[in-house]
Amino acid sequence: MEGQIWFLPRSLQLTGFQAYKLRVTHLYQLKQHSILVSVGEDEEGINPLVKVWNLEKRDGGNPLCTRIFPAIPGNKPTVVSCLTVHENLNFMAIGFADGSVVLTKGDITRDRHSKTQILHEGSYPITGLAFRQSGKTTHLFVVTTENIQSYTLSVKDYPHLELDTHGCGLRCSSLSDPSQDLQFIVAGNECVYLYQPDERGPCFAFEGQKLIVHWYRGYLIIVSRDRKTSPKSEFAGSEAQNSDKQVLNIYDLCNKFIAYSSIFDDIVDVLAEWGSLYVLTRDGKIHVLQEKDTQTKLEMLFRKNLFEMAINLAKSHHLDSDGLSEIFRQYGDHLYNKGNHDGAIQQYIRTIGKLEPSYVIRKFLDAQRIHNLTAYLQTLHLQSLANADHTTLLLNCYTKLKDSSKLEEFIKTSESEVRFDVETAIRVLRQAGYYSHAVYLAEKHAHHEWYLKIQLEDIKNYQEALAYIGKLPFDQAESNMKRYGKILMHHVPNETTELLKILCTDYRPSGDKEGPGMLEGKKANSEEFIPVFANNSRELKAFLEHMTEVQSDSPQGVYDTLLELQLQNWAHEQDEQIKEKLHNEAITLLKSGRFKTVFDKALVLCQMHNFKDGVLYLYEQGKLFQQIMHYHMQNEQYKKVIEVCELYGDQEACLWEQALGYFARKEEDCKEYIAAVLKHIESKNLMPPLLVVQTLAHNSTATLSVIKDYLVNKLQKQSRQIEQDEQRIQKYREETTRIRQEIEELKASPKIFQKTKCSICTSALELPSVHFLCGHSFHQHCFESYSESDSECPTCMPENRKVMDMIRAQEQKRDLHDQFQHQPGWRNGSSRAREAARGPPDCALCVPQLKCSTDGFSVVADYFGRGVFNKLTLITDPPYCITDALFAWLLLSAPLQLARIQTDSVVEMLRELYPDLHYEIVAMSTTGDKILDTALSKIGEKSLFTKELENALERNEVDLVVHSLKDLPTSLPPGFTIGAVCKRENPHDAVVFHPKSIGKTLSLLPEKSVIGTSSLRRAAQLKKKFPHLEFRDIRGNLNTRLKKLDEKEDFSAIILAAAGLKRMGWEDRIGQILSPEDCLYAVGQGALAVEVRAKDQEILNMVSALHDGETVLCCIAERAFMKHLEGGCSVPVAVNSVLKDGQLYLTGAVYSLDGSDSLKETMQTSVNQPHQNEDGPNDDVQHVGITAKTVPRQAQQAAESLGVELASLLLSKGAKHILSVARQLNDAR
């Protein structure tokens, strides 16, 4: 068995091969290569051989021996004492008992690529060798029994250094791992020394005779004798001659504790493999030592309260931060329980970032431990791990300790070092009364709101706060002045006013330096700061006057408020001189031209303060001449009344008539003024004499002498006119006689034309020529160039046309006195009426002219065109008999083409439902249709559009009346109802643009563009939405309005209902549909209504089929809203309704005339009610004038309630006041 090398795998199945013939003395297996180096003997004597084996390659089943060479230094046989090989296979060192060391450099596995030389020679046996690689530097440690040396192999000539003068025995040296910086370990009997290549390191006093030294995973393994006496041996430290007990100690040098200690019998060696230590004893046994896991080690230390050692152990084992933190926590808990609070807090500080701070804070909330808590919280902030609560607690600790120096040090850190929530710190300092510290923090970190709040509410340093605001950027200065302006104005009014002036004109922060690169200043909206001056009228006046002086384009609210303030001061001022000054200032402001767009508001202000001159000036600017005169009439200023008539009578002639009526009603003597009025009426021929006499008949003091001169002059003028007319008649008669004589002469004798010159060009007359019997002659080419008719003399034509016009006018006046006779129809079953009703239409009108005419329709049309008819008288049939032929008479406004189209659409729907009936459409005009020159809001009630129609319906002259639903009042007269509401067209408003503005929208129209609309509702909303536009009244039917738009330059656009334009077929004229966001529509707009007699069940049942359920519910809600508000055409009320998924949404709004004041709300209700059979006595229940049998009654009630509730909501918010003011202003216009 001698000379064999044995392999022991993990399965412990022993194998081997014959490496040497005699014996093996040394083995060295490389860790990173499958290379084994052995030293042994094949022959007797001292002739050791070195063999290098490649364990991965085989030669006959055995490892391949790649190299063999003798281990003899300088051919001098000696015993090998130790062996080491460098892991890079470039170095191998062999130590000998004679003190020499042989170094093989190069590839140790091959003979050709290596070089062997004697590196060291000495007199002491070599007991240990070790290579150390540090970067590119390679060192070789050589230890003998008496000294230790270090060779540098990476430098030429291999310089060496003696590290110590004592050595060790065989197998008592080793090289540590990087955890101990690859130090060379030498174990003597008294100490264990550690060496660097250039010096000796630390030493450890491990006594006892050392037999074996190894290094394993950071542990130093030492086998020593169990007794201190050392037996004689071949070398110091060799095996004992007797079999004594031996101690195996495993030391943890980093953590300075013994990890394992045990006694064995004759340890042969300690081997490290497969993560364990194997102890081979001479009795043939192998003992396995397995290292415990880190957690088990720590638990053992914890049980012994060795926390410092546990910490070091964890660090050496590279335990993660969470694991370390848990050790620190347990250590801190241990110290805390022992009462060592200072030590405990230091351990808890080491847990910051891992341990929840509240765990520590709860332990140290006691006042006696507040300094420990402060230290912990300080560290928490230094590591930027503190939240707002921690900051609060730390500052409270400082304040409780009254440690101002620490507090200042904490808050006065640089901007980049702030590790706390600044706002929290400010709040805590403020609560603790450290106002100066809080202000410092707020100013340093730009917490402007906190700075101002502390200065104003706590320190009450208003000057500093105001100066601070003046240094802020514009946006922040503006917002803070809005927030704190009132309190600053109360305490430092002058300085605050000055800052506001700057802020609203040309603001630059006071800290900015002026220069060429200075940015242009910003300015705030001065109107937004008016509330700041709530209790400082003097400063407010100064501010407003300053703004109007330096900024002519100041917001309108500035001028409005200034006017109100001036009027208020004027009204309460007692000193006459000051009052006169204030009077002049107010008049000057009114004349500045800044109140054109808010005329109504300025007028109300002047009226509220009884500012007479202002009211009169505004009346004049608004051309409200009648209001001016009425004002003077109320104050009985007779001369002023005459002056108003003289000034404005030419623009509004009715002023003189009103003045005459005013003086006529006065019981006192007004002869002088009546005479002046009559003189002007006479000169301008404003009133017929009879009306003058009737007017003055009401005055008991006005005698005949007052109007004597007027009547005499009037009669004299009429006499002179009669004389002139008689003379003209006589002249025409004579002329007529002469002409007739000439005609007779022409019949009997030829006419001789003796003209020699052309009557046009006055040149000599040449052929061809044209002659007229009047005596004028013309060249043919001149006649053809200038004549408008081949049969009329161009020279006489103007005079002839005048005469013909006079003749036609006389004929028309004569025809207007013709009387048409009609035969009234009889009711109560008269057969004559039935026959007349069923006969041809022209049989219903009986006049002599019709009897003589073969074309009666032409005669009627001729008279109709002359305006003789203002109403058609109709004959209707007796009470309805369903089995008989039924005639349905419908009415519409005669002048309106749209009304005819709407009526035709209703008739077509009825024809589809009842094709066997005969329908006749009758035209009728109403009072509202005739007043085409007055705005709708001035006409008055909507009944002006329906009264005549309802009268005809009441007299049974007609059976149905078709209306636009928006024209019907919300409360119908008794006996009438809306029997049908047809499906609604688009209810929104539309914009029709002038040809020059096509393609634009209202927002894109130029400044001051004029928009035409007769609706207060539209004007009020659009004035607010589009303040750059002007809105004026425009009246007339659709054709008239469009003609005014297209043919004149007065309007850039007009606003009309989209439904009307669509029904007229003019959809292509629509340039823009106004959305509900721009303009809500009128109540009922876009829907057609059929009005019938409420008790006429046959007609009511017939037209009920025309109801559209969705339209009915929307319109009921809208009309209920209008009715509860008591609105109408004279006030701006608007709506928008939508029915979706069984929910009815209603938006309602009221506006002032100029749109500046408004209320708008939206409500909803469920109308998804099942239709039930509801026949009974209440079938004909009306909801705001609508009878809808085909729509569920509960749904109608819900819709009506929705309108009432929405109106009530607006009334509770002030809608009544808005509407009342709007009515008053509208009446005054």
Side-chain angles (χ1 to χ4, degrees):
M1 300 278 303
E2 292 293 333
Q4 286 190 326
I5 297 177
W6 300 90
F7 294 98
L8 184 65
R10 198 162 193 173
S11 62
L12 301 182
Q13 298 294 324
L14 193 64
T15 61
F17 70 97
Q18 191 71 37
Y20 294 90
K21 295 179 179 178
L22 294 181
R23 66 181 67 86
V24 179
T25 60
H26 295 81
L27 289 176
Y28 191 96
Q29 184 178 4
L30 279 79
K31 298 177 181 178
Q32 300 177 9
H33 303 278
S34 296
I35 300 295
L36 176 67
V37 179
S38 63
V39 177
E41 296 176 355
D42 283 340
E43 299 176 355
E44 292 291 342
I46 303 176
N47 53 354
L49 291 178
V50 178
K51 294 184 180 181
V52 180
W53 307 90
N54 189 334
L55 302 180
E56 291 182 348
K57 297 181 180 181
R58 294 289 172 176
D59 182 15
N62 297 328
L64 176 65
C65 181
T66 61
R67 184 180 180 187
I68 302 175
F69 64 93
I72 300 175
N75 296 319
K76 184 175 66 173
T78 183
V79 177
V80 175
S81 61
C82 54
L83 168 71
T84 186
V85 181
H86 199 293
E87 286 293 328
N88 63 11
L89 302 178
N90 287 326
F91 293 101
M92 180 171 62
I94 303 174
F96 296 90
D98 64 356
S100 61
V101 176
V102 175
L103 176 68
T104 302
K105 183 178 181 182
D107 189 353
I108 64 170
T109 62
R110 299 179 182 180
D111 293 330
R112 297 180 182 179
H113 300 284
S114 62
K115 180 181 179 183
T116 302
Q117 66 182 83
I118 297 175
L119 177 66
H120 173 81
E121 289 182 326
S123 57
Y124 303 107
I126 304 299
T127 58
L129 296 173
F131 286 107
R132 182 182 188 274
Q133 185 71 38
S134 177
K136 295 182 179 180
T137 303
T138 305
H139 292 91
L140 175 64
F141 290 102
V142 178
V143 58
T144 68
T145 56
E146 300 297 333
N147 61 24
I148 302 170
Q149 297 190 41
S150 168
Y151 285 85
T152 305
L153 303 183
S154 55
V155 179
K156 188 177 181 182
D157 297 334
Y158 308 138
H160 70 280
L161 178 67
E162 186 176 25
L163 299 178
D164 214 336
T165 57
H166 59 81
C168 66
L170 284 173
R171 300 199 299 173
C172 290
S173 65
S174 180
L175 188 70
S176 70
D177 59 17
S179 66
Q180 284 293 328
D181 197 19
L182 296 174
Q183 295 184 93
F184 187 57
I185 301 171
V186 177
N189 291 334
E190 293 81 15
C191 294
V192 174
Y193 299 92
L194 277 67
Y195 296 92
Q196 293 283 355
D198 55 353
E199 63 179 352
R200 190 178 79 176
C203 66
F204 299 92
F206 299 151
E207 294 182 354
Q209 183 181 358
K210 313 299 187 300
L211 302 177
I212 301 173
V213 173
H214 286 296
W215 184 268
Y216 170 72
R217 290 187 179 181
Y219 294 103
L220 176 62
I221 303 169
I222 298 179
V223 178
S224 59
R225 291 191 182 278
D226 190 27
R227 59 186 180 180
K228 296 181 180 179
T229 57
S230 299
K232 292 183 180 181
S233 62
E234 184 179 4
F235 303 112
S238 61
E239 295 182 7
Q241 293 180 353
N242 57 352
S243 180
D244 296 328
K245 297 288 185 180
Q246 296 174 355
V247 180
L248 172 64
N249 289 318
I250 301 177
Y251 298 96
D252 187 338
L253 297 184
C254 291
N255 302 312
K256 298 180 175 59
F257 67 87
I258 300 174
Y260 179 81
S261 180
S262 182
I263 298 176
F264 291 86
D265 291 330
D266 287 342
I267 297 176
V268 176
D269 204 349
V270 179
L271 306 174
E273 193 62 59
W274 307 310
S276 300
L277 289 176
Y278 294 87
V279 181
L280 180 63
T281 57
R282 199 168 296 278
D283 57 4
K285 295 181 180 178
I286 295 179
H287 305 269
V288 181
L289 300 180
Q290 293 182 334
E291 184 179 9
K292 296 183 181 294
D293 60 86
T294 304
Q295 189 60 39
T296 304
K297 296 177 186 177
L298 293 175
E299 290 175 356
M300 293 171 62
L301 294 174
F302 292 159
R303 285 194 294 271
K304 298 179 180 181
N305 294 328
L306 300 175
F307 292 99
E308 288 288 353
M309 189 174 294
I311 292 169
N312 295 332
L313 177 66
K315 288 180 179 179
S316 65
H317 283 66
H318 305 290
L319 195 65
D320 60 18
S321 57
D322 291 333
L324 280 172
S325 176
E326 177 60 21
I327 299 174
F328 296 143
R329 182 194 66 78
Q330 293 189 36
Y331 192 18
D333 290 346
H334 171 69
L335 295 176
Y336 182 85
N337 293 329
K338 288 175 64 177
N340 184 2
H341 298 125
D342 293 339
I345 203 66
Q346 294 303 319
Q347 297 305 317
Y348 287 136
I349 286 174
R350 299 170 77 177
T351 66
I352 289 177
K354 298 299 180 180
L355 182 62
E356 177 62 37
S358 60
Y359 176 86
V360 180
I361 292 172
R362 282 196 298 269
K363 292 178 177 290
F364 292 89
L365 283 178
D366 192 329
Q368 295 180 354
R369 304 168 192 165
I370 198 168
H371 64 282
N372 299 125
L373 180 59
T374 303
Y376 179 80
L377 293 172
Q378 282 177 334
T379 309
L380 199 64
H381 282 80
L382 286 173
Q383 297 186 20
S384 301
L385 296 174
N387 58 26
D389 293 332
H390 301 148
T391 302
T392 302
L393 190 57
L394 177 59
L395 292 172
N396 284 328
C397 290
Y398 284 144
T399 56
K400 290 248 196 270
L401 293 172
K402 300 190 182 302
D403 193 346
S404 298
S405 60
K406 284 284 186 181
L407 179 60
E408 290 187 8
E409 180 185 350
F410 177 74
I411 66 174
K412 292 184 178 181
T413 54
S414 64
E415 186 72 30
S416 60
E417 296 176 355
V418 175
R419 298 182 176 90
F420 57 88
D421 185 79
V422 176
E423 187 171 351
T424 301
I426 295 172
R427 184 173 61 253
V428 174
L429 291 171
R430 184 190 182 201
Q431 291 173 351
Y434 287 78
Y435 300 128
S436 60
H437 294 77
V439 166
Y440 170 83
L441 270 182
E443 183 176 12
K444 179 180 178 182
H445 298 283
H447 284 261
H448 310 308
E449 182 179 351
W450 279 106
Y451 179 91
L452 294 172
K453 188 178 292 186
I454 297 169
Q455 288 282 23
L456 294 174
E457 298 178 7
D458 301 321
I459 304 177
K460 302 192 182 301
N461 193 339
Y462 305 105
Q463 293 284 5
E464 282 293 330
L466 193 63
Y468 184 82
I469 293 176
K471 299 176 183 178
L472 297 179
F474 172 77
D475 293 336
Q476 296 172 357
E478 180 185 26
S479 62
N480 282 294
M481 282 305 295
K482 290 178 181 177
R483 181 175 301 167
Y484 302 110
K486 287 186 179 180
I487 188 171
L488 290 171
M489 184 61 66
H490 178 71
H491 292 91
V492 281
N494 295 331
E495 294 83 350
T496 304
T497 303
E498 290 303 315
L499 179 57
L500 285 175
K501 289 179 181 179
I502 297 172
L503 187 63
C504 297
T505 51
D506 185 21
Y507 178 79
R508 294 181 177 88
S510 58
D512 292 356
K513 297 181 180 180
E514 296 187 2
M518 185 69 182
L519 295 176
E520 183 180 354
K522 297 182 179 181
K523 57 183 179 180
N525 185 348
S526 52
E527 184 177 3
E528 296 176 355
F529 292 97
I530 292 176
V532 171
F533 298 88
N535 300 312
N536 299 74
S537 58
R538 180 175 61 85
E539 285 77 12
L540 174 59
K541 185 171 182 290
F543 173 72
L544 296 176
E545 288 176 346
H546 172 79
M547 294 309 303
T548 56
E549 289 174 6
V550 301
Q551 281 187 7
S552 58
D553 60 343
S554 292
Q556 185 62 45
V558 172
Y559 289 91
D560 295 343
T561 308
L562 180 58
L563 176 62
E564 184 177 3
L565 194 60
Q566 289 180 345
L567 293 176
Q568 187 177 3
N569 293 340
W570 173 84
H572 294 88
E573 184 57 53
Q574 301 297 326
D575 190 305
E576 291 299 327
Q577 292 184 351
I578 299 178
K579 190 163 188 171
E580 181 63 24
K581 180 182 177 183
L582 293 172
H583 175 278
N584 295 335
E585 289 177 354
I587 289 295
T588 302
L589 183 60
L590 284 172
K591 292 182 178 180
S592 65
R594 293 293 306 186
F595 298 94
K596 293 180 180 179
T597 58
V598 288
F599 171 84
D600 298 340
K601 184 180 291 186
L603 182 59
V604 170
L605 288 174
C606 291
Q607 290 174 338
M608 287 173 55
H609 295 89
N610 197 24
F611 190 57
K612 168 187 169 183
D613 291 345
V615 171
L616 293 177
Y617 172 77
L618 291 173
Y619 279 156
E620 182 181 359
Q621 293 301 304
K623 300 188 183 300
L624 302 176
F625 305 130
Q626 295 186 40
Q627 297 296 328
I628 298 175
M629 190 170 70
H630 290 162
Y631 181 88
H632 293 311
M633 287 178 177
Q634 291 174 0
N635 293 281
E636 297 187 350
Q637 298 173 334
Y638 302 152
K639 290 184 179 180
K640 292 290 185 181
V641 172
I642 298 298
E643 289 178 6
V644 171
C645 292
E646 291 174 348
L647 286 173
Y648 311 117
D650 293 339
Q651 301 180 51
E652 201 162 343
C654 65
L655 294 177
W656 290 103
E657 301 174 18
Q658 294 181 16
L660 181 62
Y662 169 72
F663 290 124
R665 290 190 297 272
K666 291 294 180 182
E667 294 300 327
E668 54 192 279
D669 189 3
C670 298
K671 294 180 181 179
E672 177 186 353
Y673 304 110
I674 292 175
V677 174
L678 287 174
K679 182 178 179 181
H680 192 86
I681 289 176
E682 179 190 354
S683 64
K684 298 294 185 179
N685 194 24
L686 299 177
M687 295 174 66
L690 183 58
L691 184 56
V692 172
V693 173
Q694 290 176 346
T695 303
L696 292 175
H698 299 288
N699 192 324
S700 59
T701 62
T703 60
L704 186 61
S705 61
V706 176
I707 60 172
K708 175 183 176 183
D709 294 339
Y710 167 76
L711 292 175
V712 169
N713 291 337
K714 202 68 177 174
L715 292 172
Q716 287 177 352
K717 284 184 178 180
Q718 289 184 356
S719 298
R720 287 194 295 270
Q721 184 65 39
I722 291 171
E723 290 178 1
Q724 292 175 2
D725 291 343
E726 289 177 347
Q727 291 175 4
R728 194 176 291 111
I729 290 170
Q730 184 61 33
K731 178 182 176 182
Y732 287 152
R733 284 175 178 171
E734 292 174 357
E735 184 70 19
T736 301
T737 302
R738 182 184 62 78
I739 292 173
R740 286 175 178 170
Q741 289 176 355
E742 289 182 2
I743 292 172
E744 291 298 326
E745 291 176 359
L746 287 173
K747 290 179 180 179
S749 59
K751 174 71 174 178
I752 300 174
F753 299 100
Q754 298 179 343
K755 277 279 189 180
T756 60
K757 293 185 178 181
C758 176
S759 298
I760 294 178
C761 66
T762 69
S763 300
L765 201 60
E766 297 176 355
L767 295 177
S769 58
V770 179
H771 304 276
F772 284 89
L773 294 176
C774 59
H776 296 106
S777 299
F778 309 91
H779 292 116
Q780 184 175 352
H781 64 272
C782 290
F783 174 76
E784 292 175 350
S785 301
Y786 290 94
S787 176
E788 295 181 8
S789 173
D790 293 341
S791 60
E792 194 169 2
C793 172
T795 304
C796 299
M797 182 175 61
E799 188 65 27
N800 292 340
R801 288 190 175 180
K802 288 182 182 179
V803 175
M804 293 303 296
D805 289 341
M806 291 172 60
I807 294 172
R808 280 194 293 269
Q810 291 173 358
E811 289 178 351
Q812 289 178 357
K813 289 179 181 179
R814 179 193 66 194
D815 292 345
L816 287 175
H817 294 284
D818 294 345
Q819 295 294 325
F820 267 73
Q821 300 175 357
H822 68 275
Q823 183 70 34
W826 290 271
R827 304 292 291 176
N828 301 326
S830 168
S831 61
R832 181 177 179 184
R834 187 179 297 275
E835 291 172 3
R838 294 183 180 177
D842 57 335
C843 294
L845 301 176
C846 302
V847 295
Q849 189 172 353
L850 286 176
K851 293 178 180 179
C852 299
S853 174
T854 58
D855 188 359
F857 184 80
S858 297
V859 174
V860 174
D862 181 50
Y863 278 89
F864 195 95
R866 297 177 190 176
V868 175
F869 297 85
N870 56 13
K871 185 176 74 171
L872 287 181
T873 305
L874 306 175
I875 300 175
T876 60
D877 60 342
Y880 287 105
C881 177
I882 302 302
T883 58
D884 200 352
L886 179 63
F887 288 79
W889 301 87
L890 295 90
L891 299 182
L892 72 159
S893 303
L896 299 178
Q897 180 183 356
L898 176 60
R900 179 57 187 253
I901 292 174
Q902 293 176 167
T903 305
D904 286 342
S905 67
V906 174
V907 171
E908 286 304 315
M909 287 188 283
L910 287 173
R911 280 202 178 105
E912 291 181 4
L913 295 171
Y914 311 105
D916 297 333
L917 298 182
H918 172 69
Y919 304 89
E920 184 172 349
I921 299 175
V922 181
M924 178 179 287
S925 61
T926 66
T927 303
D929 296 323
K930 296 174 185 176
I931 307 175
L932 298 178
D933 58 347
T934 306
L936 284 172
S937 58
K938 295 292 191 69
I939 292 176
E941 294 299 324
K942 288 186 176 182
S943 59
L944 291 177
F945 290 92
T946 62
K947 186 175 181 181
E948 288 90 340
L949 308 179
E950 288 169 343
N951 288 340
L953 195 61
E954 185 178 19
R955 294 193 297 268
N956 289 334
E957 295 175 358
V958 294
D959 301 305
L960 316 174
V961 180
V962 178
H963 301 280
S964 290
L965 182 58
K966 70 174 182 177
D967 293 335
L968 282 175
T970 53
S971 295
L972 297 181
F976 301 100
T977 187
I978 299 172
V981 178
C982 303
K983 185 173 179 61
R984 196 176 208 167
E985 286 286 356
N986 184 348
H988 298 290
D989 293 314
V991 186
V992 180
F993 292 94
H994 187 277
K996 292 184 179 179
S997 301
I998 290 177
K1000 296 182 179 179
T1001 61
L1002 289 180
S1003 60
L1004 298 179
L1005 287 177
E1007 189 85 14
K1008 304 296 183 184
S1009 296
V1010 179
I1011 310 300
T1013 177
S1014 60
S1015 166
L1016 295 179
R1017 168 188 59 82
R1018 293 168 180 156
Q1021 295 183 79
L1022 296 178
K1023 282 179 182 177
K1024 184 176 183 180
K1025 184 73 175 180
F1026 306 102
H1028 67 291
L1029 304 178
E1030 293 184 4
F1031 295 86
R1032 295 181 188 170
D1033 285 337
I1034 182 172
R1035 279 284 286 136
N1037 55 38
L1038 286 179
N1039 305 57
T1040 304
R1041 297 188 200 186
L1042 291 174
K1043 186 175 181 181
K1044 289 180 181 179
L1045 173 67
D1046 295 337
E1047 296 182 358
K1048 298 181 180 181
E1049 300 290 336
D1050 296 345
F1051 300 99
S1052 297
I1054 60 175
I1055 313 296
L1056 301 170
L1061 290 168
K1062 182 177 180 181
R1063 289 176 179 135
M1064 292 291 289
W1066 295 338
E1067 289 178 275
D1068 58 328
R1069 292 300 306 269
I1070 297 177
Q1072 180 183 0
I1073 294 290
L1074 296 177
S1075 66
E1077 289 75 21
D1078 294 334
C1079 185
L1080 301 179
Y1081 49 77
V1083 170
Q1085 183 163 305
L1088 293 182
V1090 180
E1091 187 178 12
V1092 300
R1093 291 179 290 275
K1095 300 299 183 182
D1096 197 335
Q1097 290 297 323
E1098 291 88 351
I1099 294 297
L1100 194 56
N1101 290 334
M1102 181 178 75
V1103 300
S1104 292
L1106 301 182
H1107 271 308
D1108 177 72
E1110 179 176 341
T1111 306
V1112 168
L1113 293 177
C1114 289
C1115 291
I1116 286 177
E1118 294 171 10
R1119 286 167 63 82
F1121 172 74
M1122 170 76 85
K1123 182 177 181 180
H1124 199 67
L1125 283 178
E1126 299 179 359
C1129 290
S1130 58
V1131 290
V1133 177
V1135 297
N1136 181 62
S1137 58
V1138 177
L1139 181 59
K1140 184 178 181 181
D1141 299 331
Q1143 292 291 316
L1144 178 58
Y1145 302 85
L1146 177 64
T1147 299
V1150 296
Y1151 300 87
S1152 60
L1153 293 189
D1154 60 359
S1156 60
D1157 197 4
S1158 64
L1159 286 172
K1160 181 179 178 182
E1161 294 290 344
T1162 300
M1163 296 182 70
Q1164 70 182 82
T1165 189
S1166 174
V1167 293
N1168 193 14
Q1169 304 288 346
H1171 196 308
Q1172 299 175 357
N1173 185 6
E1174 298 174 330
D1175 293 340
N1178 295 323
D1179 275 355
D1180 300 338
V1181 173
Q1182 294 189 24
H1183 294 277
V1184 284
I1186 298 175
T1187 300
K1189 295 184 176 183
T1190 59
V1191 180
R1193 188 182 305 158
Q1194 294 95 330
Q1196 297 182 59
Q1197 291 171 348
E1200 185 174 10
S1201 298
L1202 175 63
V1204 172
E1205 290 172 5
L1206 182 59
S1208 299
L1209 177 61
L1210 292 187
L1211 289 172
S1212 68
K1213 293 188 176 183
K1216 186 173 183 180
H1217 174 71
I1218 295 175
L1219 296 177
S1220 177
V1221 173
R1223 283 194 184 92
Q1224 294 175 8
L1225 294 176
N1226 185 48
D1227 294 341
R1229 292 170 61 186

